[in-house]
Amino acid sequence: MTITAEKPLVKIEGLHKYYGQHHVLRGIDMTVNQGEVSVVIGPSGSGKSTMLRCVNLLESISAGRISVGGQLIGYREVNGRLHDLKTKEIAAQRREIGMVFQRFNLFPHKTALQNVMEAPVHVKGQSKAAAQKRALELLDRVGLGDRAGHYPSQLSGGQQQRVAIARALAMEPELMLFDEPTSALDPELVGDVLNVMKDLAKSGMTMIVVTHEIGFAREVGDTLTFMDGGVVVESGDPREIIANPQHARTKEFLSRVL
Amino acid sequence: MEHDQHRDEPVLNKSVPVRHPGRWISAIIILAFVAVFLQSLFTNPNFRWDIVGTYILDVKVVQGVGWTLLLTVASMVLAIVLAILLAFMRQSDNPIFRWSSWVWVWFFRGTPVYTQLVFWGLIAVLYPKISAGVPFGPELFSLDTSSVVNATVAAILGLGLNESAYLAEIFRAGLKSVDRGQQEAAEALGMAKGKIMWRIILPQAMRIIVPPTGNETIGMLKTTSLVLAVPFTLDLTFATNALANRTYLPVPLLIVAAIWYLVITSILMVGQHFIEAYYGKGVDNLAPAAINPAAAKAAGAGADAQRSMKTDFPEESAR
């Protein structure tokens, strides 16, 4: 496992989320240290994806605060009052946070290579040559160096998801968010994606992983958080929680997925 | 060792196909109609193919083709630019933008193009002078409307503004057809709003937008025949009508016009085919994109080396 420096990178404090009258997140507190892999599990509808999407502001924050690297996400605080950030400032914050989606969301009109190069060239302003070199290295790293010229529709789900990971890594983020990255994959393709994620965890990347893969949580996770009904029910060492859950709801959930 | 029966070549089934007498009967009927029509083309003297031959390359006719093409292209370009703007405004967070885009479409789609063309022809009567200045305040400069909005400009404005309303709806449908996840993926990468629109959403929307826009362009080619309403009197239909009135031979000159419209439509369809192929990249058109061959080779070699060490997923490497 990775050795954590005990330096908090992500701090979520009192996070609430409403969709109209629907209270989805009911006060989430969570800390992720630098270099740590934080795995979040829970039944569908528990709010785990919503929580993850709040971290890079794909969902607005109804109440509470999220900070990444000491920087408040989505707001500027002036004299104790929150001011919304401009779209451009939000985009700048998102550049530090990579995200991998359940349904990959690769750009279908661009090849694997062009998908990975897109943000470095058009967000960071890197030269095409430099971005291409780096993109090919990243595709190699996820085991797809020979698929650079393929369009997403020519790749299997597992290959698409690995391209999506390479695309997020191309921005050199300090934090990676994984939103059920293997849930849309055929069972025999899940392993490839998990292996890439394991390698990434070993390289010291800070990761928040929303998943149903209990094996991954046990093997790679530094902390495990079980969410249900919009609250954190239990959180701690993954192996301990999986072996010996303290709460009835955790027990029930684990008995259904294990 | 495999079982013997698997090693033999299979005996292919030779079944008796279902007969389709209906196909033969309908084919004979249609071919009979075609034959009668073709025969009439050659034998009916009223077609006056000699006159068609005389006028098909007449200077007035060829100039008419040129003006018709110019009106079509100019008004479509104007319409496309406005339509993109209108579609973006319709999606905007700003309610004033959304509202004004809606009103524009309501107005220009809700009145006949003929009425609009007459109106643009009369604009100089309504506003004799165009002036720039502060409302209710001092005037900076002014121009005679008739010198700015001549018949050509009036025709292009009339056709283009009317068309923009229809195209705006086509563009809006196209933008809406792109999966929401594309926007989110681009946002998550930190892309700016404009870049997301131009580089991610619009290119994908174009797949949906191009076929109906091609339809509209071909429609526009023929709508240009209404510019007499402005009045604009140089287009193909006016040219052939004028010749028909002079020679008292309407049929051959209508054929001349029809031939030219068909020729232009055919050329536009070829153009549309290539545009569709371009925007179908990765979805309908899977020709792999060219990448720097040297870099790809290097990466491929790296991948080979990596794969030879990796044995976890043999079926992946085999593919």
Side-chain angles (χ1 to χ4, degrees), chain B residues 133-210:
Chain B
V134 185
F136 310 109
E139 182 180 287
L140 301 175
F141 70 91
S142 87
L143 292 162
D144 280 340
T145 304
S146 55
S147 67
V148 182
V149 187
N150 57 29
T152 313
V153 173
I156 292 169
L157 282 173
L159 294 170
L161 298 194
N162 178 265
E163 185 60 36
S164 73
Y166 290 93
L167 282 183
E169 289 293 285
I170 292 174
F171 274 72
R172 186 165 73 92
L175 295 178
K176 280 182 106 168
S177 76
V178 178
D179 183 53
R180 172 94 197 123
Q182 293 292 307
Q183 169 96 19
E184 288 186 350
E187 280 178 358
L189 287 167
M191 286 179 85
K193 238 179 168 178
K195 286 237 164 114
I196 295 175
M197 194 45 92
W198 284 108
R199 298 198 48 83
I200 306 299
I201 308 295
L202 197 56
Q204 294 182 55
M206 288 304 277
R207 246 188 89 241
I208 308 295
I209 291 169
V210 171

Side-chain angles (χ1 to χ4, degrees), chain A residues 100-106 142 144 152 155-165 178-197 209-213 216, chain B residues 313 315-316 319:
Chain A
V100 175
F101 297 86
Q102 182 177 359
R103 285 174 55 242
F104 333 132
N105 297 349
L106 288 181
V142 298
L144 293 171
L155 300 172
S156 74
Q159 291 172 332
Q160 287 189 53
Q161 192 61 298
R162 286 184 279 153
V163 173
I165 294 172
F178 291 85
D179 186 5
E180 304 200 26
T182 57
S183 298
L185 297 178
D186 290 337
E188 81 274 18
L189 302 176
V190 168
D192 300 13
V193 172
L194 290 182
N195 280 351
V196 167
M197 289 167 63
V209 184
V210 170
T211 187
H212 293 290
E213 297 288 334
F216 177 84
Chain B
F313 308 106
E315 87 286 357
E316 285 267 336
R319 215 175 300 151

